[in-house]
Amino acid sequence: MTNARTEGSRAVPSTRGVVYMHCCPSALAPHVEWALAGVLGRPARLQWAGQPVAPTHLRAEATWTGSVGTAARLAASLRAWPMLVFEITEDGTSISDGERLAYLPGRGFHRATTSANGDVVVGEERLRGLMNRARSADDFQHGLTELLGTSWDAELEPYRAGGDGAPVTLLHQVV
């Protein structure tokens, strides 16, 4: 957690996270930077590299700092391009849990609460709902894999491996 900022009459802690742009057509790279800049309030210049899993596409990673909820706003800003593959993380603060938002074409968004070490955390209410809906052990297992985002992780893993050793850009939100 970083410093707090004032929003109205209350202090809102700042947080940080990472944008993992796993797969982006090269023609869209400037548009992605503009979308991120629109949320962060300052230019976003990413260090793009080739994505080995999709040779005609690019990948980039950028750390960001901003207010709680910035990860969701960043993800929403990228919705206009359903061909992108990305993940955005946000660290927890004194008033919020961490989260990870993942997007894959054809699968859509998966949003999960995360612990301090990045593990997905499934809340009590979601588990109780699953227990009430599941009619068999197989139903429960399938529901649990959905809650954990297992299918998203399996599809994202080749893209993640393509980023090992890639440069990381630092982005900060104007407050």
Side-chain angles (χ1 to χ4, degrees):
M1 183 170 61
T2 58
N3 298 329
R5 67 179 180 82
T6 304
E7 190 172 279
S9 62
R10 63 187 176 105
V12 178
S14 293
T15 187
R16 63 181 175 239
V18 181
V19 174
Y20 299 95
M21 184 55 58
H22 292 301
C23 191
C24 174
S26 58
L28 287 182
H31 300 280
V32 166
E33 290 178 353
W34 295 330
L36 298 175
V39 172
L40 298 170
R42 65 179 301 153
R45 307 263 189 269
L46 303 180
Q47 293 181 10
W48 295 95
Q51 173 52 272
V53 176
T56 62
H57 290 69
L58 301 173
R59 66 162 330 284
E61 293 179 16
T63 60
W64 58 268
T65 58
S67 59
V68 171
T70 296
R73 290 190 297 278
L74 290 168
S77 77
L78 300 173
R79 266 200 162 129
W81 305 287
M83 70 289 299
L84 299 175
V85 177
F86 63 88
E87 292 177 273
I88 303 174
T89 64
E90 180 169 307
D91 291 347
T93 70
S94 62
I95 65 165
S96 67
D97 293 324
E99 69 177 346
R100 179 178 67 122
L101 297 103
Y103 180 82
L104 286 159
R107 187 170 292 282
F109 276 98
H110 183 265
R111 187 176 193 173
T113 302
T114 57
S115 66
N117 70 347
D119 286 347
V120 171
V121 177
V122 179
E124 178 182 347
E125 284 303 311
R126 295 183 83 188
L127 286 173
R128 288 184 189 282
L130 174 58
M131 289 185 335
N132 288 334
R133 287 188 311 277
R135 301 286 179 238
S136 66
D138 285 342
D139 282 352
F140 185 81
Q141 183 177 5
H142 175 74
L144 193 54
T145 60
E146 285 296 307
L147 290 173
L148 293 172
T150 304
S151 299
W152 279 264
D153 280 337
E155 286 188 47
L156 285 167
E157 199 53 40
Y159 294 103
R160 291 172 178 153
D164 289 344
V168 178
T169 304
L170 303 177
L171 304 173
H172 300 282
Q173 185 174 24
V174 175
V175 289

